Amino acid sequence: MFEWFANTLRTYPEIALFLSLGIGYYVGGFSYRGLSLGAVTSTLIAAVIIGQLGITISPNVKATFFLMFLFAVGYGVGPQFVRGIAKDGTPQALFAVLVAIFCLAAPIVAARIAGYDLGYTAGLYAGSQTISASMGLATDAINRLGLPPDQTKALLDAMPIAYAVTYIFGTVGSALILALLGPKLLGIDLVQACKDYEARMGGGKELGGEGSVWHRWELRAFRLRPSARAAGMRAVEAEGLVPGARVFVERIRRNGKIEDATADTVLQEGDTVAVAGPRETLVNLIGQAAEEVEDAELLDVKAEGLDVYVTSKDVDGKTLYDLAQLPEARGVFLRRIVRGAVATRIPILPNTVINRGDILTIVGRTQDTTAMAKLLGYPDRPSDVADVAFIGGAITLGALIGALVFKAGGVPLTLSTAGGALISGLVFGWLRSVRPVFGRIPSSTVWFMNSIGLNMFIAVVGISAGPGFVKGLQTQGIGLFIWGIFATAVPLILAMFAGKYIFRFDPAILLGCCAGARTTTAALGMICETAKSQVPALGYTVTYAVGNTLLTIWGMIIIMLMT
C-alpha cells in the first residue's frame, strides 16, 4: 500500500504539492498562547518529509507561483509604502531601512564566523528574519552564478535546511524579545505609555460604518399628525424645517400604499413618511415633535456606501454647499473625502472645495448614490471579480523589466523577474489607490495570491530538498540554531535602542515600529497583548511596508555580498 502511494506521488507530483499544502495549513492553524508554526513553516516541514520519497517537480512551477506571490505582496503594501514615504511616515520609513540593514548584517556576520556556504547563509537569513519570500530571490541569484549543476543543487538544498532550523526562534524569539524583554531594556511602562498616547490623541476613532450596529445616518418612519407643520408642504419645504441638518423624505405610505417621494411630493395628514438623516437629528429633533412608528415594509430600502472617484470637469472647483444644491445630491450623504497620493483626509465643511482626483465616500439609497456617482465621475463598487487582465499585464511588465541585466564593472546587476514583479505590485497597487478606475483585485483574491503563491513555492522547495534535509540537519543543526538566535536577537535589540535614542519614537509605538520593520506579526500580537492596547500597531504599517520590501530584496543582495 505504501509503495503504491509513494509511486503515485512520484508519478503525479501535483498530488504531493496539494498534500503538502493541506498538511501545512492544518498543522499551522494550531497555536499555543498566540504562537504557532504558521502555514509557511508547517508546509515546508510537510514538504520536506514528503520529499524523502524522491519526487521531482519542475522548477517552473515554483517560479510561477512565486511571481504571483510577490506581485500580491507589492499590490497590498504599495499604497502604504508610497504614502508612508511621502507623508509624515518618513522617519518610520528611514527607521525601517536601518533595521533592514541590521537584519542583513547580522546573518552575514554569523555566516562568516561559522563558515557557512551561500545556501546556508541565505536560509539562515530567511529563517532568522522570518522572511520566507527572500528565498525566491536568493534562488534566482544562485542560479545566475553559473556554478556547476551539482554545486548549485547543493546550495539550493542547504537553503531550506537552514531556514527550517532558524525559523522557529525567528518567530517565537522575536515576540519574546520585543514584547517581554524590550520594555525592560528600554525602561518603558508600556501599558501606561499607551494610555497616555490615547489621551493625547483624543481617541479619534471613526464611529459607525460597516461592521457597527451604530450608523451616523438612519432611515426612520414618522406619522404626520393633524397638527404637524409639514402637512400640506412639499417634501423639500418640510425638509427645510429641520435647522442645521440635511434630512430627506425618501418614501411615503399613503392609504396603505407605498411610493417614493420626490422634492415636489406634497405631504398630507396621516401620511407615514420615511425620513433619512443624521441619527441625532432624527432622535432629538424630529422624534420629539412627531410620532415615530414601526413600518418595516416602508423602511425596507436598498442602500449602500460607495467610493466615487471625481473625474467631472463640471464638479471640479465647486464647494460642498454648491453640490448640495444639485438635484442629484438629494438623499445622499457624504461620509469621507480623501485627496492626493498621500490619501489626506479633507474636512467636510460647506466651503470645502472638491477637486478632480478626490475620492468621495457617499451614503444613501442605491438609486440616489448611482445618480450622484454619475454626476461626480467613476463609482468604485465592491466586487468579487478580479481584473485578471490587469494582473497578467502588470506581472508581465514587471517581470520583463526585472529580466533586464546591466553590467557595472563587469558585475551583472538585475532585479530578476521576481524583483520586477514585486516592484510592479508596489507601483500598480499605489496607482490603484489613487485612481480606482482600473486594476480591482478583491482582498480575498489578494490573500489567495499571497498565501497560496508563497506556500506553493515553499512546498516545491521543500519537496525538492527533501532527500538532503536529514543529512544536513544532522551535521549543522545545533550550531545553526545558535547562530539563528544571534541573527534574530541582535537586529531587534539594536532596533529598539535606535528607535528610542536616534529616532525618538513615542514609547507607545516604538515596539510596533520594530515589529513592522522586521515584519513579525506574531511579535505585534504579543506586544499589543502586553500593552493591553492596539496603539502599538500604529507604528507597524509604514515600517512593515518598507521592511517587507527590503527584507525580500535582501535575499538577492546577500548572495551578491557573500559571493
Side-chain angles (χ1 to χ4, degrees):
M1 180 68 179
F2 177 78
E3 188 63 29
W4 170 83
F5 180 72
N7 287 333
T8 300
L9 294 187
R10 295 187 192 103
T11 305
Y12 303 101
E14 60 271 23
I15 299 178
L17 282 175
F18 284 104
L19 179 60
S20 300
L21 283 183
I23 295 174
Y25 276 89
Y26 178 75
V27 175
F30 292 99
S31 63
Y32 178 72
R33 294 189 176 181
L35 297 175
S36 68
L37 288 177
V40 175
T41 304
S42 300
T43 298
L44 175 61
I45 294 174
V48 167
I49 294 174
I50 294 171
Q52 303 304 312
L53 300 177
I55 300 170
T56 301
I57 299 179
S58 170
N60 293 332
V61 176
K62 177 176 62 176
T64 299
F65 280 100
F66 192 62
L67 288 183
M68 182 174 73
F69 159 72
L70 283 177
F71 177 79
V73 169
Y75 184 89
V77 303
Q80 300 164 350
F81 184 85
V82 175
R83 292 167 187 168
I85 293 177
K87 202 178 178 184
D88 57 355
T90 300
Q92 293 184 15
L94 293 175
F95 172 75
V97 172
L98 180 62
V99 175
I101 294 174
F102 292 156
C103 293
L104 176 65
I108 290 179
V109 170
R112 292 289 190 189
I113 296 175
Y116 292 136
D117 61 25
L118 295 179
Y120 279 109
T121 302
L124 167 65
Y125 165 74
S128 63
Q129 311 309 317
T130 62
I131 189 73
S132 316
S134 68
M135 291 197 293
L137 295 181
T139 299
D140 286 348
I142 290 175
N143 284 327
R144 291 177 179 273
L145 294 177
L147 300 173
D150 57 339
Q151 187 175 350
T152 299
K153 186 177 186 305
L155 294 177
L156 296 180
D157 288 348
M159 198 185 308
I161 298 172
Y163 171 84
V165 172
T166 57
Y167 184 89
I168 303 301
F169 187 84
T171 301
V172 179
S174 61
L176 296 176
I177 292 170
L178 290 177
L180 302 182
L181 182 61
K184 296 179 180 179
L185 286 177
L186 301 176
I188 295 174
D189 183 343
L190 192 56
V191 175
Q192 187 59 45
C194 291
K195 290 181 179 179
D196 293 342
Y197 190 94
E198 290 174 341
R200 291 196 306 274
M201 295 303 169
K205 181 178 182 292
E206 185 177 3
L207 299 178
E210 185 177 358
S212 173
V213 297
W214 181 87
H215 295 282
R216 177 170 299 165
W217 296 283
E218 289 190 352
L219 184 67
R220 303 175 83 117
F222 301 93
R223 181 178 292 115
L224 295 183
R225 300 168 179 168
S227 59
R229 293 176 57 193
M233 291 185 174
R234 293 184 302 137
V236 67
E237 296 170 338
E239 293 161 1
L241 295 176
V242 183
R246 298 183 76 228
V247 295
F248 303 100
V249 177
E250 304 277 25
R251 307 178 86 193
I252 295 176
R253 180 186 288 277
R254 179 176 295 166
N255 299 323
K257 295 182 179 181
I258 295 176
E259 59 184 65
D260 288 335
T262 67
D264 294 325
T265 298
V266 178
L267 307 183
Q268 299 178 7
E269 295 180 5
D271 286 348
T272 299
V273 294
V275 183
R279 185 178 188 277
E280 62 272 19
T281 299
L282 300 182
V283 172
N284 297 328
L285 293 180
I286 299 178
Q288 295 177 358
E291 177 189 358
E292 184 172 7
V293 298
E294 172 61 23
D295 192 330
E297 186 181 8
L298 181 67
L299 298 177
D300 185 17
V301 176
K302 291 184 178 180
E304 66 176 350
L306 179 65
D307 288 339
V308 182
Y309 184 71
V310 178
T311 60
S312 173
K313 293 181 180 180
D314 296 332
V315 172
D316 186 34
K318 291 186 179 297
T319 66
L320 290 181
Y321 178 83
D322 295 332
L323 294 178
Q325 309 310 309
L326 299 176
E328 293 87 350
R330 189 173 186 278
V332 177
F333 302 93
L334 181 60
R335 181 178 179 84
R336 183 186 302 115
I337 307 173
V338 174
R339 174 170 297 164
V342 295
T344 302
R345 291 282 294 272
I346 303 299
I348 300 176
L349 302 171
N351 292 325
T352 297
V353 176
I354 299 300
N355 298 330
R356 293 179 70 186
D358 289 348
I359 299 177
L360 309 186
T361 302
I362 59 176
V363 180
R365 294 186 303 173
T366 302
Q367 61 264 41
D368 295 331
T369 56
T370 298
M372 192 62 185
K374 185 176 181 180
L375 172 72
L376 295 173
Y378 180 83
D380 187 28
R381 284 189 168 86
S383 171
D384 294 331
V385 179
D387 189 347
V388 179
F390 162 77
I391 296 173
I395 294 178
T396 299
L397 178 61
L400 287 174
I401 294 174
L404 297 175
V405 179
F406 302 93
K407 289 190 176 182
V411 178
L413 300 177
T414 178
L415 285 173
S416 80
T417 55
L422 176 62
I423 300 301
S424 175
L426 287 170
V427 172
F428 283 106
W430 170 71
L431 285 176
R432 162 69 188 173
S433 71
V434 297
R435 294 186 178 273
V437 296
F438 69 98
R440 167 175 287 280
I441 308 179
S443 57
S444 57
T445 304
V446 174
W447 177 89
F448 179 86
M449 294 173 65
N450 195 319
S451 183
I452 300 301
L454 175 59
N455 281 289
M456 272 292 192
F457 165 80
I458 290 296
V460 175
V461 170
I463 291 174
S464 301
F469 179 80
V470 175
K471 181 179 178 180
L473 187 59
Q474 290 173 343
T475 58
Q476 301 287 344
I478 301 301
L480 190 58
F481 183 78
I482 294 175
W483 282 117
I485 294 176
F486 170 85
T488 295
V490 170
L492 291 175
I493 294 174
L494 292 176
M496 288 188 289
F497 284 104
K500 180 176 182 180
Y501 295 108
I502 299 177
F503 290 88
R504 301 185 181 278
F505 290 137
D506 190 287
I509 67 170
L510 170 56
L511 297 176
C513 290
C514 294
R518 240 298 309 280
T519 65
T520 170
T521 307
L524 178 66
M526 185 173 284
I527 291 168
C528 291
E529 183 178 355
T530 303
K532 299 179 181 179
S533 169
Q534 294 300 313
V535 166
L538 295 176
Y540 187 82
T541 305
V542 172
T543 53
Y544 174 86
V546 177
N548 192 61
T549 302
L550 292 180
L551 292 178
T552 300
I553 294 174
W554 281 181
M556 174 180 60
I557 300 299
I558 199 169
I559 299 300
M560 296 172 60
L561 294 177
M562 292 292 291
T563 301

